[in-house]
């Protein structure tokens, strides 16, 4: 890596927020707790509140209508003298009208709103699970970045020590100038790797901070690495697990809402009746007149075909969305299960075999180089192999931690996600 690139990386890392401040320790539990109340979850909760308000709006009968009128006002001969309410010849009337909804329109309207509210509640839970998944992945990315930075710093320290030792040997004539230059090159490369690791750690902290609405000066807790376990036994009924997912439940609730809406559209074919009564006061004729009336629309030539067809199309759309969501949920669970099994095997392979052997090879190379049994090239190759192996082991460990957490979040109920 060139000096200019190293300078730019270090400058960018220092300019990032929190780059020059002591990092605050953060546990996985704290990060997940913050993720359950972030802005995405808040938006889903607002949608739930609106859906619950729709239930209140749907579950009421039409309001009665109060009417008052003055009629038979004789503009040619006059209306006579006296009080306008009791003596003048004006036909005064006050009445009330109320619409009787037939076909259980109110019940179907309320049922559709309740199903939509249930879907919104399931959306809140699904949003929480998604945010927990994203936060868990970001947390382990930060933890892995911290581990990589620690390893690269240790590698840099070792190469710096080798560079100092090589410089002394060059001055003493015990090592060629070419080998001394190679040690300096390796030390500079290690310094560049450390600066790149510092930038990666800062970027991982920023990504996590965005999820949990915290400042970027955070540090993941190494104790949150999961204990290594054997690969989990395959789940026998992934379809049942898929049906329990909140996104599938939300799709099912939307099918129920669409079915109630279709039944409500069909109920429009039963005409509503508006009934009413009026009390009339007409001096000179009678001061106690009663009017009874009933009104209903004449639905000739139209049977609400448009409303019914639209409701049927929306039901078909909701059913197709449910089938698509269920398929996607099943495939997602299969992918998560396969990823967990593979990640567990890979992490175990590095922890049990690859890393110990790489350390042993490096230690043997160090001892052989100290005794003059091997040259500098063999020593540097052994160190490069160990460095690459350690970084790959960290990635394998992070992949296992993420795979295990994602599987648990999607298969185990989480009471804390209930609104």
């Amino acid at each position: 890596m060139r000096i200019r690139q190293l300078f730019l990386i270090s400058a960018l890392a220092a300019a990032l927020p929190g780059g020059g401040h002591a990092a605050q320790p953060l546990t996985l539990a704290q990060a997940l707790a913050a993720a359950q109340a972030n802005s995405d979850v808040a938006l889903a909760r607002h949608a739930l509140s609106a859906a619950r308000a729709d239930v209140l709006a749907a579950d009421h009968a039409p309001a009665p209508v109060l009417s008052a009128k003055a009629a038979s006002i004789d503009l040619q001969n006059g209306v006579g003298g006296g009080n306008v309410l009791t003596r003048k010849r004006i036909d005064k009337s006050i009445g009330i009208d109320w619409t009787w909804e037939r076909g259980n329109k109110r019940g179907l309207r309320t049922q559709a709103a309740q199903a939509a509210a249930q879907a919104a509640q399931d959306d809140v839970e699904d949003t929480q699970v998604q945010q927990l998944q994203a936060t868990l992945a970001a947390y382990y990315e930060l933890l892995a970045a911290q581990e990589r930075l620690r390893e690269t710093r240790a590698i840099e320290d070792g190469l710096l020590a080798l560079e100092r030792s090589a410089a002394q040997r060059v001055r003493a004539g015990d090592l060629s100038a070419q080998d001394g230059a190679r040690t300096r090159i390796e030390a500079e490369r290690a310094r560049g790797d450390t600066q790149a690791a510092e930038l990666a750690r800062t970027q991982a902290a920023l990504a996590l901070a965005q999820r949990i609405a915290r400042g970027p000066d955070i540090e993941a807790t190494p104790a949150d690495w999961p204990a290594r376990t054997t690969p989990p036994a395959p789940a026998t009924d992934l379809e049942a697990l898929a049906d329990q997912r909140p996104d599938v439940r939300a799709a099912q609730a939307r099918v129920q809402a669409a079915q109630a809406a279709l039944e409500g559209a069909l109920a429009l074919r039963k005409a509503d009746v508006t009934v009413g009564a009026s009390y009339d006061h007409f001096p000179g004729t009678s001061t106690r007149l009663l009017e009874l009336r009933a009104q209903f629309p004449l639905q000739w030539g139209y049977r609400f075909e448009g409303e019914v067809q639209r409701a049927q199309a929306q039901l078909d759309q909701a059913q197709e969305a449910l089938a698509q969501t269920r398929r996607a949920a099943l495939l997602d669970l299969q992918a998560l299960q396969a990823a967990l099994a593979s990640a567990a095997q890979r992490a175990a392979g590095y922890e049990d075999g690859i890393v110990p052997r790489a350390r042993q090879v490096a230690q043997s190379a160090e001892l052989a180089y100290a005794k003059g049994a091997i040259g500098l090239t063999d020593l540097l190759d052994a160190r490069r192999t160990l460095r690459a192996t350690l970084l790959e082991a960290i990635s394998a460990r992070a992949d296992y931690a993420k795979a295990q957490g994602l599987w648990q979040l999607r298969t185990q109920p989480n009471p804390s996600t209930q609104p």
Side-chain angles (χ1 to χ4, degrees):
M1 185 175 291
R2 297 179 179 178
I3 300 300
R4 176 181 174 83
Q5 293 174 325
L6 297 179
F7 175 77
L8 291 176
I9 290 175
S10 60
L12 178 57
L16 288 172
H21 302 283
Q24 299 296 322
L26 178 71
T27 65
L28 178 60
Q30 291 172 337
L32 295 181
Q36 288 183 335
N38 65 13
S39 58
D40 290 321
V41 177
L43 290 174
R45 290 188 182 277
H46 293 325
L48 173 59
S49 299
R52 287 174 174 172
D54 290 339
V55 176
L56 298 177
D59 190 17
H60 70 83
V65 178
L66 179 66
S67 59
K69 70 174 183 177
S72 300
I73 302 175
D74 193 343
L75 300 180
Q76 179 178 359
N77 301 312
V79 296
N83 186 278
V84 67
L85 296 178
T86 59
R87 304 295 301 275
K88 291 185 180 296
R89 293 191 303 276
I90 299 176
D91 184 6
K92 299 170 289 294
S93 174
I94 186 170
I96 191 169
D97 295 270
W98 177 74
T99 300
W100 170 34
E101 288 186 306
R102 301 174 62 221
N104 192 29
K105 292 185 180 69
R106 176 182 176 181
L108 293 172
R109 185 171 61 242
T110 303
Q111 182 180 345
Q114 289 173 340
Q118 181 61 49
Q121 181 169 333
D122 292 330
D123 285 340
V124 171
E125 184 175 347
D126 186 53
T127 301
Q128 286 181 320
V129 172
Q130 292 177 7
Q131 295 305 309
L132 289 174
Q133 287 182 310
T135 301
L136 181 140
Y139 184 87
Y140 282 119
E141 283 294 336
L142 175 58
L143 195 51
Q146 293 174 187
E147 291 289 327
R148 294 188 190 99
L149 178 58
R150 182 179 62 82
E151 291 293 345
T152 54
R153 282 174 175 170
I155 293 170
E156 180 187 0
D157 292 341
L159 287 172
L160 288 175
L162 180 62
E163 178 190 8
R164 290 191 295 268
S165 175
Q168 292 177 356
R169 294 179 61 183
V170 169
R171 288 193 297 269
D174 188 35
L175 187 69
S176 67
Q178 182 180 5
D179 286 344
R182 291 183 62 187
T183 59
R184 286 194 299 273
I185 292 173
E186 291 295 327
E188 291 176 359
R189 291 181 59 184
R191 188 177 301 111
D193 290 341
T194 300
Q195 291 174 337
E198 290 174 348
L199 178 59
R201 187 260 169 222
T202 303
Q203 291 174 333
L206 288 171
L208 177 59
Q210 185 177 10
R211 292 287 178 184
I212 61 177
R214 291 276 297 271
D217 52 338
I218 52 179
E219 181 177 359
T221 304
D224 284 325
W225 281 119
R228 197 201 71 195
T229 59
T230 57
T236 57
D237 195 357
L238 289 180
E239 293 185 356
L241 289 175
D243 287 337
Q244 296 172 5
R245 285 170 52 128
D247 52 347
V248 176
R249 298 202 310 268
Q252 291 173 337
R254 289 188 171 90
V255 170
Q256 297 173 0
Q259 181 64 49
L262 175 59
E263 295 176 6
L266 292 171
L268 293 174
R269 294 175 176 176
K270 293 186 177 182
D272 298 337
V273 179
T274 301
V275 296
S278 297
Y279 177 78
D280 294 352
H281 180 277
F282 195 2
T285 301
S286 176
T287 58
R288 289 181 297 176
L289 299 174
L290 180 65
E291 177 187 25
L292 301 176
R293 55 186 174 271
Q295 306 173 63
F296 56 90
L298 299 178
Q299 300 174 357
W300 293 344
Y302 185 64
R303 298 283 293 166
F304 295 95
E305 290 84 0
E307 288 82 350
V308 172
Q309 290 178 12
R310 179 175 180 81
Q312 181 63 59
Q314 290 177 333
L315 175 58
D316 295 340
Q317 184 181 27
Q319 290 173 338
E320 183 62 31
L322 172 59
Q324 183 180 22
T325 303
R326 184 179 282 117
R327 287 194 302 269
L330 181 59
L331 292 175
D332 182 53
L333 290 176
Q334 291 173 346
L336 289 175
Q337 187 180 57
L340 176 56
S342 175
Q345 293 176 352
R346 183 166 176 260
Y350 272 95
E351 185 173 350
D352 294 336
I354 299 176
V355 171
R357 286 193 294 269
R359 290 188 185 277
Q360 184 179 4
V361 170
Q363 290 172 359
S364 299
E366 296 284 351
L367 181 60
Y369 179 76
K371 294 181 177 181
I374 63 173
L376 179 62
T377 299
D378 294 332
L379 175 63
L380 294 178
D381 286 342
R383 289 193 173 190
R384 292 192 195 100
T385 300
L386 177 60
R387 176 180 60 187
T389 301
L390 292 176
L391 297 180
E392 290 170 359
I394 293 172
S395 296
R397 192 178 187 186
D399 290 341
Y400 171 69
K402 289 186 288 186
Q404 183 189 56
L406 296 181
W407 172 257
Q408 291 177 348
L409 287 172
R410 274 302 184 189
T411 58
Q412 297 180 4
N414 186 4
S416 64
T417 61
Q418 297 299 325

